[in-house]
Amino acid sequence: MGVMLRLIKIEFLKLRKSKSMWVLLVLYLACLILIALSGNIILGYLADAGVQYNGLDPTILPIYDFIDIWQNLSWLGGFFKVFPAFLIAISICNEFQFKTHRQNIMDGLSRSEFFLSKLSFAAFLAILSAAILLILGLTLGFMYSPVIDFQSVIANTYFLLGHFYELLLYFLFSMLVALIIRRTGIAIVVLLMYTWFVEPIGAAILSNWYPELAGMLPLESISNLIRFPFSKYILLYTQDFIAWLDLAKATVWALIFSGFIYYQLVKRDF
């Protein structure tokens, strides 16, 4: 733990004067807070517009019940994970563009420690995100949930661990992209395009013929840790748990990402 905290401190010292770090962090945290708080506002708007849910007021939908809130918030939080991933990519690309990675090695930091410093910082960002969701979930749950007994409150909090793991694996992917490209602007564009366009389009095409293969794509596997939760409110099936198979597929990709990252650090010019 002491080593991890030291490595996180090193990363923070490198980035603390970076405007992009603070902008991306504030943007991400603002997105988490706004999307969490907007649920009742959206349902209220739908009710005012005359929209009904099976003939009932849509504001009765239990999106903030403790039974549902952890999966709902964890899925919504994962939707914005690209913003802190940009920060990871910027951190790595800056090391190569400004040659600070070589200075780190000269100062006694091994290549393994260099990787661990980036991984520790990524883990810190994932923990921070899960902690924000925990605070939001407890706040909104105690405000709106009809059941607030201890068992109900903690029943599905494991989704926060799933959220942490989802972000950590996506950050590994962003580290790999940054290590391959080593140019901040290009790495961010590639990460954004692959996340929002290339793989979603590829998954949509594959799902028509090979749906099992579509679900094995890297970012699909990571996102499938926490399934879309809101279809249950229109009486459709929702996977309201983290399946062991989904966890296994995501972990396989984590090992693949880590292997390629190791190759980039050891075999390429450093």
Side-chain angles (χ1 to χ4, degrees):
M1 181 61 70
V3 173
M4 179 177 289
L5 292 176
R6 179 177 67 87
L7 295 175
I8 292 173
K9 182 179 179 180
I10 291 173
E11 287 303 306
F12 178 76
L13 290 174
K14 292 178 184 178
L15 293 169
R16 64 178 178 176
K17 294 183 179 180
S18 170
K19 291 183 180 178
S20 60
M21 182 189 81
W22 296 109
V23 169
L24 287 169
L25 278 180
V26 170
L27 181 61
Y28 178 62
L29 295 178
C31 287
L32 285 183
I33 294 170
L34 288 175
I35 197 66
L37 297 178
S38 64
N40 271 353
I41 297 175
I42 294 173
L43 293 179
Y45 171 80
L46 293 175
D48 292 340
V51 176
Q52 294 187 338
Y53 170 72
N54 289 340
L56 301 174
D57 187 334
T59 57
I60 69 168
L61 295 179
I63 59 173
Y64 292 138
D65 280 16
F66 275 119
I67 300 301
D68 294 341
I69 195 170
W70 302 118
Q71 183 179 8
N72 294 348
L73 290 183
S74 295
W75 184 86
L76 290 170
F79 189 75
F80 299 103
K81 59 182 177 285
V82 70
F83 294 119
F86 287 163
L87 183 55
I88 301 295
I90 290 171
S91 171
I92 292 178
C93 290
N94 282 350
E95 297 277 7
F96 292 96
Q97 289 183 243
F98 301 115
K99 311 299 183 182
T100 53
H101 66 294
R102 292 181 179 175
Q103 185 61 48
N104 290 332
I105 300 303
M106 292 172 62
D107 291 340
L109 200 69
S110 68
R111 297 189 183 200
S112 296
E113 288 178 320
F114 177 83
F115 168 66
L116 287 176
S117 68
K118 302 301 180 185
L119 184 61
S120 297
F121 185 61
F124 169 76
L125 293 177
I127 291 171
L128 177 64
S129 179
I132 295 296
L133 292 185
L134 174 63
I135 294 171
L136 288 170
L138 290 174
T139 302
L140 294 170
F142 281 115
M143 287 176 61
Y144 298 111
S145 179
V147 288
I148 56 173
D149 61 280
F150 181 74
Q151 189 62 40
S152 297
V153 171
I154 68 169
N156 293 320
T157 50
Y158 63 84
F159 278 110
L160 296 177
L161 294 176
H163 174 77
F164 162 80
Y165 195 47
E166 176 187 352
L167 263 62
L168 185 62
L169 299 192
Y170 185 69
F171 294 162
L172 274 176
F173 176 73
S174 69
M175 290 171 63
L176 177 59
V177 171
L179 280 170
I180 293 173
I181 297 175
R182 301 190 179 187
R183 292 291 183 270
T184 303
I186 300 175
I188 287 176
V189 170
V190 169
L191 185 61
L192 182 63
M193 292 295 293
Y194 186 84
T195 300
W196 285 359
F197 299 101
V198 176
E199 185 167 311
I201 292 173
I205 295 173
L206 282 174
S207 63
N208 291 324
W209 294 282
Y210 307 102
E212 295 82 6
L213 184 59
M216 295 178 66
L217 293 173
L219 301 191
E220 281 288 309
S221 298
I222 293 172
S223 297
N224 284 343
L225 282 169
I226 302 174
R227 301 290 182 133
F228 179 71
F230 299 109
S231 57
K232 59 193 167 192
Y233 299 127
I234 53 175
L235 304 181
L236 296 176
Y237 171 76
T238 298
Q239 181 177 299
D240 56 356
F241 57 92
I242 298 176
W244 286 108
L245 180 59
D246 293 334
L247 185 61
K249 288 191 292 185
T251 301
V252 167
W253 279 111
L255 296 174
I256 292 173
F257 295 155
S258 299
F260 277 109
I261 289 171
Y262 176 80
Y263 175 83
Q264 292 294 317
L265 290 175
V266 173
K267 300 297 183 181
R268 284 188 65 182
D269 176 39
F270 203 72

PDB file of all heavy atoms in Angstrom, residues 20-42:
ATOM      1  N   SER A  20      -5.413  20.472 -18.297  1.00  0.00           N
ATOM      2  CA  SER A  20      -6.246  19.419 -18.871  1.00  0.00           C
ATOM      3  C   SER A  20      -6.683  18.422 -17.815  1.00  0.00           C
ATOM      4  O   SER A  20      -7.805  17.894 -17.871  1.00  0.00           O
ATOM      5  CB  SER A  20      -5.482  18.707 -19.996  1.00  0.00           C
ATOM      6  OG  SER A  20      -4.287  18.125 -19.512  1.00  0.00           O
ATOM      7  N   MET A  21      -5.805  18.125 -16.824  1.00  0.00           N
ATOM      8  CA  MET A  21      -6.178  17.185 -15.772  1.00  0.00           C
ATOM      9  C   MET A  21      -7.374  17.701 -14.994  1.00  0.00           C
ATOM     10  O   MET A  21      -8.358  16.976 -14.789  1.00  0.00           O
ATOM     11  CB  MET A  21      -5.007  16.950 -14.815  1.00  0.00           C
ATOM     12  CG  MET A  21      -5.348  15.920 -13.727  1.00  0.00           C
ATOM     13  SD  MET A  21      -4.137  15.758 -12.392  1.00  0.00           S
ATOM     14  CE  MET A  21      -4.591  17.153 -11.363  1.00  0.00           C
ATOM     15  N   TRP A  22      -7.314  18.949 -14.576  1.00  0.00           N
ATOM     16  CA  TRP A  22      -8.394  19.499 -13.757  1.00  0.00           C
ATOM     17  C   TRP A  22      -9.676  19.661 -14.565  1.00  0.00           C
ATOM     18  O   TRP A  22     -10.772  19.427 -14.049  1.00  0.00           O
ATOM     19  CB  TRP A  22      -7.958  20.827 -13.148  1.00  0.00           C
ATOM     20  CG  TRP A  22      -6.803  20.671 -12.205  1.00  0.00           C
ATOM     21  CD1 TRP A  22      -5.515  21.078 -12.391  1.00  0.00           C
ATOM     22  CD2 TRP A  22      -6.817  19.992 -10.936  1.00  0.00           C
ATOM     23  NE1 TRP A  22      -4.731  20.713 -11.328  1.00  0.00           N
ATOM     24  CE2 TRP A  22      -5.501  20.052 -10.421  1.00  0.00           C
ATOM     25  CE3 TRP A  22      -7.805  19.353 -10.201  1.00  0.00           C
ATOM     26  CZ2 TRP A  22      -5.154  19.494  -9.188  1.00  0.00           C
ATOM     27  CZ3 TRP A  22      -7.466  18.783  -8.973  1.00  0.00           C
ATOM     28  CH2 TRP A  22      -6.163  18.859  -8.486  1.00  0.00           C
ATOM     29  N   VAL A  23      -9.538  20.052 -15.828  1.00  0.00           N
ATOM     30  CA  VAL A  23     -10.730  20.193 -16.680  1.00  0.00           C
ATOM     31  C   VAL A  23     -11.415  18.846 -16.858  1.00  0.00           C
ATOM     32  O   VAL A  23     -12.644  18.729 -16.725  1.00  0.00           O
ATOM     33  CB  VAL A  23     -10.353  20.791 -18.049  1.00  0.00           C
ATOM     34  CG1 VAL A  23     -11.527  20.687 -19.023  1.00  0.00           C
ATOM     35  CG2 VAL A  23      -9.931  22.240 -17.897  1.00  0.00           C
ATOM     36  N   LEU A  24     -10.635  17.807 -17.158  1.00  0.00           N
ATOM     37  CA  LEU A  24     -11.212  16.473 -17.383  1.00  0.00           C
ATOM     38  C   LEU A  24     -11.811  15.904 -16.102  1.00  0.00           C
ATOM     39  O   LEU A  24     -12.890  15.297 -16.131  1.00  0.00           O
ATOM     40  CB  LEU A  24     -10.147  15.530 -17.930  1.00  0.00           C
ATOM     41  CG  LEU A  24      -9.732  15.767 -19.387  1.00  0.00           C
ATOM     42  CD1 LEU A  24      -8.493  14.959 -19.733  1.00  0.00           C
ATOM     43  CD2 LEU A  24     -10.873  15.430 -20.332  1.00  0.00           C
ATOM     44  N   LEU A  25     -11.134  16.100 -14.968  1.00  0.00           N
ATOM     45  CA  LEU A  25     -11.666  15.603 -13.703  1.00  0.00           C
ATOM     46  C   LEU A  25     -12.970  16.298 -13.340  1.00  0.00           C
ATOM     47  O   LEU A  25     -13.945  15.653 -12.950  1.00  0.00           O
ATOM     48  CB  LEU A  25     -10.635  15.796 -12.590  1.00  0.00           C
ATOM     49  CG  LEU A  25      -9.531  14.739 -12.469  1.00  0.00           C
ATOM     50  CD1 LEU A  25      -8.601  15.080 -11.316  1.00  0.00           C
ATOM     51  CD2 LEU A  25     -10.111  13.344 -12.275  1.00  0.00           C
ATOM     52  N   VAL A  26     -12.977  17.621 -13.452  1.00  0.00           N
ATOM     53  CA  VAL A  26     -14.190  18.381 -13.117  1.00  0.00           C
ATOM     54  C   VAL A  26     -15.328  18.007 -14.069  1.00  0.00           C
ATOM     55  O   VAL A  26     -16.477  17.831 -13.638  1.00  0.00           O
ATOM     56  CB  VAL A  26     -13.907  19.896 -13.163  1.00  0.00           C
ATOM     57  CG1 VAL A  26     -15.212  20.683 -13.061  1.00  0.00           C
ATOM     58  CG2 VAL A  26     -12.960  20.293 -12.034  1.00  0.00           C
ATOM     59  N   LEU A  27     -15.004  17.872 -15.366  1.00  0.00           N
ATOM     60  CA  LEU A  27     -16.027  17.496 -16.346  1.00  0.00           C
ATOM     61  C   LEU A  27     -16.609  16.130 -16.026  1.00  0.00           C
ATOM     62  O   LEU A  27     -17.835  15.937 -16.062  1.00  0.00           O
ATOM     63  CB  LEU A  27     -15.417  17.504 -17.747  1.00  0.00           C
ATOM     64  CG  LEU A  27     -16.356  17.156 -18.908  1.00  0.00           C
ATOM     65  CD1 LEU A  27     -17.495  18.161 -18.993  1.00  0.00           C
ATOM     66  CD2 LEU A  27     -15.576  17.137 -20.227  1.00  0.00           C
ATOM     67  N   TYR A  28     -15.745  15.175 -15.684  1.00  0.00           N
ATOM     68  CA  TYR A  28     -16.214  13.826 -15.385  1.00  0.00           C
ATOM     69  C   TYR A  28     -17.069  13.808 -14.119  1.00  0.00           C
ATOM     70  O   TYR A  28     -18.161  13.217 -14.106  1.00  0.00           O
ATOM     71  CB  TYR A  28     -15.015  12.887 -15.229  1.00  0.00           C
ATOM     72  CG  TYR A  28     -15.408  11.476 -14.859  1.00  0.00           C
ATOM     73  CD1 TYR A  28     -16.189  10.706 -15.708  1.00  0.00           C
ATOM     74  CD2 TYR A  28     -14.992  10.910 -13.656  1.00  0.00           C
ATOM     75  CE1 TYR A  28     -16.547   9.410 -15.373  1.00  0.00           C
ATOM     76  CE2 TYR A  28     -15.343   9.612 -13.316  1.00  0.00           C
ATOM     77  CZ  TYR A  28     -16.125   8.869 -14.182  1.00  0.00           C
ATOM     78  OH  TYR A  28     -16.488   7.583 -13.839  1.00  0.00           O
ATOM     79  N   LEU A  29     -16.585  14.445 -13.069  1.00  0.00           N
ATOM     80  CA  LEU A  29     -17.344  14.468 -11.818  1.00  0.00           C
ATOM     81  C   LEU A  29     -18.670  15.201 -11.992  1.00  0.00           C
ATOM     82  O   LEU A  29     -19.693  14.792 -11.428  1.00  0.00           O
ATOM     83  CB  LEU A  29     -16.510  15.112 -10.711  1.00  0.00           C
ATOM     84  CG  LEU A  29     -15.248  14.340 -10.300  1.00  0.00           C
ATOM     85  CD1 LEU A  29     -14.476  15.104  -9.229  1.00  0.00           C
ATOM     86  CD2 LEU A  29     -15.585  12.944  -9.808  1.00  0.00           C
ATOM     87  N   ALA A  30     -18.663  16.283 -12.786  1.00  0.00           N
ATOM     88  CA  ALA A  30     -19.909  17.016 -13.050  1.00  0.00           C
ATOM     89  C   ALA A  30     -20.908  16.131 -13.793  1.00  0.00           C
ATOM     90  O   ALA A  30     -22.112  16.140 -13.498  1.00  0.00           O
ATOM     91  CB  ALA A  30     -19.613  18.278 -13.856  1.00  0.00           C
ATOM     92  N   CYS A  31     -20.405  15.341 -14.761  1.00  0.00           N
ATOM     93  CA  CYS A  31     -21.282  14.425 -15.498  1.00  0.00           C
ATOM     94  C   CYS A  31     -21.889  13.381 -14.565  1.00  0.00           C
ATOM     95  O   CYS A  31     -23.082  13.069 -14.654  1.00  0.00           O
ATOM     96  CB  CYS A  31     -20.505  13.741 -16.623  1.00  0.00           C
ATOM     97  SG  CYS A  31     -20.113  14.804 -18.023  1.00  0.00           S
ATOM     98  N   LEU A  32     -21.061  12.823 -13.666  1.00  0.00           N
ATOM     99  CA  LEU A  32     -21.567  11.832 -12.719  1.00  0.00           C
ATOM    100  C   LEU A  32     -22.677  12.418 -11.857  1.00  0.00           C
ATOM    101  O   LEU A  32     -23.737  11.807 -11.675  1.00  0.00           O
ATOM    102  CB  LEU A  32     -20.432  11.342 -11.817  1.00  0.00           C
ATOM    103  CG  LEU A  32     -19.398  10.385 -12.398  1.00  0.00           C
ATOM    104  CD1 LEU A  32     -18.415   9.967 -11.303  1.00  0.00           C
ATOM    105  CD2 LEU A  32     -20.047   9.161 -13.009  1.00  0.00           C
ATOM    106  N   ILE A  33     -22.435  13.590 -11.331  1.00  0.00           N
ATOM    107  CA  ILE A  33     -23.396  14.213 -10.415  1.00  0.00           C
ATOM    108  C   ILE A  33     -24.675  14.599 -11.154  1.00  0.00           C
ATOM    109  O   ILE A  33     -25.790  14.329 -10.689  1.00  0.00           O
ATOM    110  CB  ILE A  33     -22.768  15.430  -9.728  1.00  0.00           C
ATOM    111  CG1 ILE A  33     -21.620  14.978  -8.815  1.00  0.00           C
ATOM    112  CG2 ILE A  33     -23.807  16.198  -8.921  1.00  0.00           C
ATOM    113  CD1 ILE A  33     -20.781  16.105  -8.267  1.00  0.00           C
ATOM    114  N   LEU A  34     -24.524  15.216 -12.328  1.00  0.00           N
ATOM    115  CA  LEU A  34     -25.699  15.682 -13.074  1.00  0.00           C
ATOM    116  C   LEU A  34     -26.563  14.526 -13.541  1.00  0.00           C
ATOM    117  O   LEU A  34     -27.795  14.589 -13.445  1.00  0.00           O
ATOM    118  CB  LEU A  34     -25.251  16.531 -14.266  1.00  0.00           C
ATOM    119  CG  LEU A  34     -24.690  17.916 -13.934  1.00  0.00           C
ATOM    120  CD1 LEU A  34     -24.164  18.597 -15.188  1.00  0.00           C
ATOM    121  CD2 LEU A  34     -25.755  18.779 -13.262  1.00  0.00           C
ATOM    122  N   ILE A  35     -25.938  13.459 -14.041  1.00  0.00           N
ATOM    123  CA  ILE A  35     -26.739  12.330 -14.532  1.00  0.00           C
ATOM    124  C   ILE A  35     -27.433  11.624 -13.379  1.00  0.00           C
ATOM    125  O   ILE A  35     -28.552  11.120 -13.522  1.00  0.00           O
ATOM    126  CB  ILE A  35     -25.865  11.347 -15.345  1.00  0.00           C
ATOM    127  CG1 ILE A  35     -26.737  10.421 -16.195  1.00  0.00           C
ATOM    128  CG2 ILE A  35     -24.972  10.526 -14.441  1.00  0.00           C
ATOM    129  CD1 ILE A  35     -27.494  11.108 -17.290  1.00  0.00           C
ATOM    130  N   ALA A  36     -26.787  11.605 -12.212  1.00  0.00           N
ATOM    131  CA  ALA A  36     -27.407  10.960 -11.053  1.00  0.00           C
ATOM    132  C   ALA A  36     -28.592  11.764 -10.546  1.00  0.00           C
ATOM    133  O   ALA A  36     -29.626  11.202 -10.156  1.00  0.00           O
ATOM    134  CB  ALA A  36     -26.373  10.788  -9.936  1.00  0.00           C
ATOM    135  N   LEU A  37     -28.454  13.077 -10.557  1.00  0.00           N
ATOM    136  CA  LEU A  37     -29.517  13.940 -10.018  1.00  0.00           C
ATOM    137  C   LEU A  37     -30.650  14.189 -11.008  1.00  0.00           C
ATOM    138  O   LEU A  37     -31.717  14.660 -10.608  1.00  0.00           O
ATOM    139  CB  LEU A  37     -28.920  15.290  -9.594  1.00  0.00           C
ATOM    140  CG  LEU A  37     -27.875  15.258  -8.472  1.00  0.00           C
ATOM    141  CD1 LEU A  37     -27.352  16.662  -8.199  1.00  0.00           C
ATOM    142  CD2 LEU A  37     -28.450  14.656  -7.200  1.00  0.00           C
ATOM    143  N   SER A  38     -30.405  13.885 -12.280  1.00  0.00           N
ATOM    144  CA  SER A  38     -31.389  14.249 -13.304  1.00  0.00           C
ATOM    145  C   SER A  38     -32.539  13.261 -13.419  1.00  0.00           C
ATOM    146  O   SER A  38     -33.520  13.540 -14.119  1.00  0.00           O
ATOM    147  CB  SER A  38     -30.700  14.374 -14.666  1.00  0.00           C
ATOM    148  OG  SER A  38     -30.174  13.122 -15.074  1.00  0.00           O
ATOM    149  N   GLY A  39     -32.446  12.119 -12.763  1.00  0.00           N
ATOM    150  CA  GLY A  39     -33.484  11.094 -12.918  1.00  0.00           C
ATOM    151  C   GLY A  39     -34.875  11.587 -12.615  1.00  0.00           C
ATOM    152  O   GLY A  39     -35.796  11.474 -13.437  1.00  0.00           O
ATOM    153  N   ASN A  40     -35.064  12.147 -11.430  1.00  0.00           N
ATOM    154  CA  ASN A  40     -36.391  12.637 -11.055  1.00  0.00           C
ATOM    155  C   ASN A  40     -36.839  13.814 -11.908  1.00  0.00           C
ATOM    156  O   ASN A  40     -38.035  13.985 -12.168  1.00  0.00           O
ATOM    157  CB  ASN A  40     -36.400  13.032  -9.576  1.00  0.00           C
ATOM    158  CG  ASN A  40     -36.761  11.864  -8.678  1.00  0.00           C
ATOM    159  OD1 ASN A  40     -37.124  10.792  -9.147  1.00  0.00           O
ATOM    160  ND2 ASN A  40     -36.648  12.052  -7.376  1.00  0.00           N
ATOM    161  N   ILE A  41     -35.872  14.629 -12.344  1.00  0.00           N
ATOM    162  CA  ILE A  41     -36.218  15.769 -13.202  1.00  0.00           C
ATOM    163  C   ILE A  41     -36.776  15.269 -14.525  1.00  0.00           C
ATOM    164  O   ILE A  41     -37.795  15.773 -15.021  1.00  0.00           O
ATOM    165  CB  ILE A  41     -34.976  16.657 -13.439  1.00  0.00           C
ATOM    166  CG1 ILE A  41     -34.499  17.252 -12.113  1.00  0.00           C
ATOM    167  CG2 ILE A  41     -35.283  17.755 -14.454  1.00  0.00           C
ATOM    168  CD1 ILE A  41     -33.205  18.036 -12.226  1.00  0.00           C
ATOM    169  N   ILE A  42     -36.120  14.252 -15.105  1.00  0.00           N
ATOM    170  CA  ILE A  42     -36.589  13.692 -16.377  1.00  0.00           C
ATOM    171  C   ILE A  42     -37.951  13.029 -16.211  1.00  0.00           C
ATOM    172  O   ILE A  42     -38.863  13.227 -17.031  1.00  0.00           O
ATOM    173  CB  ILE A  42     -35.553  12.686 -16.917  1.00  0.00           C
ATOM    174  CG1 ILE A  42     -34.251  13.406 -17.277  1.00  0.00           C
ATOM    175  CG2 ILE A  42     -36.108  11.933 -18.131  1.00  0.00           C
ATOM    176  CD1 ILE A  42     -33.128  12.478 -17.654  1.00  0.00           C
TER     177      ILE A  42
END
